[in-house]
Amino acid sequence: MSTTAAEPLSATTLLRFATAGSVDDGKSTLVGRLLHDSKSVLVDQLEAVEHASRSRGQEAPDLALLTDGLRAEREQGITIDVAYRYFATPRRRFILADTPGHVQYTRNMVTGASTAELTVILVDARNGVVEQTRRHAAIAALLRVPHVVLAVNKMDLVGYEEAVFARIAEDFTAYATELGVPEVTAIPISALAGDNVVEPSATMDWYGGPTVLEHLETVPVSHDLTGCHARLPVQYVIRPQTPEHPDYRGYAGQIAAGTFRVGQEVTVLPSGRTSRISGIDLLGEPVDVAWTPQSVTLLLEDDIDVSRGDLVVPSGDAPATSQDVEATVCHVADQPLTVGQRVLLKHTTRTVKAIVKEIPSRLTLDDLSQHPEPGRLVANDIGTVRVRTAEPLALDAYADSRRTGSFLLIDPADGTTLAAGMAGESFASEKATVTADDEGWDF
């Protein structure tokens, strides 16, 4: 007998956030201070950090070592790889991604921020907003991170001057607003001394806002994607062909967004064939309804051709399919991306051959202008690309769905990831652009 699954629990008790900023702005120290002062560090972890700090000639424990775990990171005093940390307070649970500040590791910042609901961008109070600050703000805007915190760090080195903080906050907020960032919260801190990280600062009484942790605990976030456009990328076709299940044919995958119900009419893309859901299996048990992010198996009334890479959607809410993709990409490979280059495009569970038709523009971070027809993108560039795929794809706009509006461009020779792409408009403040004609391409 079919059962109805319980309603999903409220997801506001969990916050995914990332830290970003330029080199030596104090990201790892801030993370370490958050973990230490919120009592989220185990005794043996703290002892290991104290021992490592003493071996480097430091009297006080270097809290950055709580996240900088690679040997090269500790030797150079920098962050190279994304460090994920899990901690909790009585008010909320957190998944934190400490991302690198070096330009050559920008690709790792993209990885860490891609699933974040909030990004903390650090600025050294002595230097103000620099190029890497602007780059990270642009990436946060591209990735549609809904909340951005500007943490003006090392306030102790500028005498805790309110004017310094106000100037930096004004500069950054103006830049972020132009990018279309919906919300910026500026907080003056000293990660090394602990000012306004977990406890309010006694030396900055001119600041009346929340501490970093207080803001993280109270910022409104929602992971509820059940009301979004329903999408199920097919990962595997299940055909047991056993005596118990001789005719079983199920289409398994993780629901990317929305809700599916038994009896619902669905369309399989890119073929466009339609059917109705005759059953939903969840953890080996039949249910009447399933929602994101559950992994399920759908059974359809009709025996239609469905394979890995197909997208199951409600018939009345199907995205358009096309072989022409226009998107903004963050180029993350060492080798450049050039016009005419043949690549693989990976979208959800589907990978197709593609060719780079055009690179219309590259973003200039200083003034957000578009450099026309750059011809290629190099490592850490942000630009617009138009690609032609060998097979039709069903992409949502990234603004509507992070899961089904994103893709990767891959080098077919060695599998290297070349670029991370976001379909549709680049920034929230931009207008939609018109694609060029498609003549002269062999797909």
Side-chain angles (χ1 to χ4, degrees), residues 148-165:
V148 172
V149 173
L150 172 68
V152 182
N153 193 23
K154 304 187 181 181
M155 288 294 296
D156 53 313
L157 300 183
V158 295
Y160 297 104
E161 289 291 335
E162 180 181 5
V164 174
F165 167 74

Side-chain angles (χ1 to χ4, degrees), residues 260-413:
F260 288 94
R261 300 177 182 275
V262 172
Q264 184 178 13
E265 183 177 349
V266 293
T267 299
V268 179
L269 299 175
S271 68
R273 296 183 177 90
T274 61
S275 183
R276 288 188 181 275
I277 299 176
S278 60
I280 302 175
D281 287 345
L282 173 66
L283 299 176
E285 297 293 335
V287 296
D288 293 328
V289 59
W291 49 78
T292 181
Q294 293 175 333
S295 295
V296 299
T297 301
L298 297 186
L299 290 83
L300 303 181
E301 291 181 355
D302 304 291
D303 188 11
I304 60 178
D305 184 16
V306 182
S307 59
R308 175 181 170 85
D310 288 347
L311 189 68
V312 181
V313 302
S315 294
D317 186 25
T321 59
S322 175
Q323 290 180 252
D324 299 294
V325 178
E326 179 167 355
T328 300
V329 301
C330 297
H331 191 65
V332 299
D334 294 327
Q335 64 267 39
L337 184 72
T338 58
V339 174
Q341 185 172 348
R342 296 182 181 275
V343 296
L344 297 177
L345 190 153
K346 186 180 190 315
H347 172 246
T348 62
T349 58
R350 187 178 187 84
T351 302
V352 299
K353 295 179 180 179
I355 189 170
V356 179
K357 291 175 50 181
E358 190 179 353
I359 302 178
S361 62
R362 183 185 72 245
L363 181 68
T364 302
L365 294 174
D366 288 334
D367 57 5
L368 295 180
S369 63
Q370 298 287 342
H371 184 281
E373 298 295 337
R376 68 175 190 167
L377 298 177
V378 298
N380 303 307
D381 275 350
I382 299 171
T384 305
V385 300
R386 295 185 180 121
V387 298
R388 175 85 169 180
T389 60
E391 303 170 23
L393 289 178
L395 276 85
D396 288 295
Y398 187 80
D400 295 331
S401 173
R402 277 175 147 186
R403 290 283 303 277
T404 55
S406 60
F407 61 87
L408 297 177
L409 296 181
I410 301 171
D411 188 337

Side-chain angles (χ1 to χ4, degrees), residues 20-30 56 62 64 68 73-80 98-103 105 121-128 130 132-133 136 151-157 189 191-192:
S22 189
V23 179
D24 294 330
D25 280 349
K27 296 178 299 302
S28 296
T29 302
L30 171 62
R56 297 168 59 177
D62 184 356
D68 291 338
E73 293 177 327
R74 297 195 174 197
E75 289 175 350
Q76 300 177 48
I78 63 173
T79 300
I80 296 175
D98 181 29
T99 68
H102 280 68
V103 172
Y105 303 129
I121 299 180
L122 271 79
V123 171
D124 189 325
R126 299 169 298 175
N127 303 326
V130 298
Q132 192 68 342
T133 310
H136 287 164
V152 182
N153 193 23
K154 304 187 181 181
M155 288 294 296
D156 53 313
L157 300 183
I189 68 169
L192 187 64

